[in-house]
């Protein structure tokens, strides 16, 4: 099965050997996404809601570059560093998925940079 690498405009260079997204057989796989600027610096330090918005906008840019929308998202893997941020994260998350929600899980863990409060990996089915 052929696959297409998805790199939205203005993407930074990843910290490790991966790409922002891959499209295969109508499914977009979005790599774990943190609130990074184009130089891999964490933005909105200490603000879980703003980091969540940044992460979801970055994910949206990958899905749009692949030809989809956030309505195509079927699954999210959510990683947070502190349960204290859970309500703020969910409030922003709900804005991006106002109708039928995608399936997801959420776990607390450490992330690649200590200032990062959230990471999300996404699967979207474009139906193409």
């Amino acid at each position: 099965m052929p696959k297409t690498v998805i790199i939205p405009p203005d993407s930074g260079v990843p910290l490790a050997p991966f790409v922002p997204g891959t499209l295969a057989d109508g499914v977009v796989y979005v790599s774990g996404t943190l609130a990074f600027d184009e130089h891999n610096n964490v933005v909105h330090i200490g603000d879980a809601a703003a980091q969540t918005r940044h992460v979801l906008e970055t994910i949206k840019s990958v899905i749009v570059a692949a030809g989809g929308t956030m309505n195509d998202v079927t699954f999210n893997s959510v990683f947070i560093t502190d349960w204290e941020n859970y309500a703020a994260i969910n409030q922003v998350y709900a804005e991006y998925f106002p109708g039928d929600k995608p399936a997801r899980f959420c776990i607390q863990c450490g992330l690649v940079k200590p200032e990062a409060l959230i990471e999300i990996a996404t699967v979207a089915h474009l139906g193409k």
Side-chain angles (χ1 to χ4, degrees):
M1 159 181 40
K3 66 180 180 181
T4 303
V5 169
I6 306 298
I7 303 174
D10 302 323
S11 288
V13 176
L15 286 173
F18 66 90
V19 295
T22 303
L23 174 64
D25 200 26
V27 180
V28 181
Y29 302 91
V30 182
S31 294
T33 304
L34 295 103
F36 284 166
D37 66 13
E38 65 276 2
H39 304 291
N40 292 315
N41 297 309
V42 176
V43 296
H44 311 296
I45 293 173
D47 187 337
Q51 283 194 16
T52 302
R53 188 171 312 284
H54 187 94
V55 165
L56 289 168
E57 284 295 323
T58 302
I59 289 168
K60 182 178 175 181
S61 73
V62 174
I63 294 170
V64 168
T69 71
M70 292 297 272
N71 289 330
D72 297 316
V73 173
T74 56
F75 190 81
N76 286 307
S77 303
V78 181
F79 306 90
I80 62 175
T81 60
D82 190 333
W83 288 114
E84 293 293 322
N85 296 323
Y86 191 66
I89 288 166
N90 277 331
Q91 184 174 2
V92 174
Y93 183 93
E95 294 172 22
Y96 284 80
F97 304 104
D100 292 336
K101 312 292 186 243
R104 80 172 198 189
F105 69 79
C106 182
I107 62 169
Q108 181 180 349
C109 62
L111 299 175
V112 70
K113 289 204 176 182
E115 303 88 2
L117 303 174
I118 182 167
E119 179 173 355
I120 302 175
T122 298
V123 177
H125 287 254
L126 306 186
K128 295 181 181 177

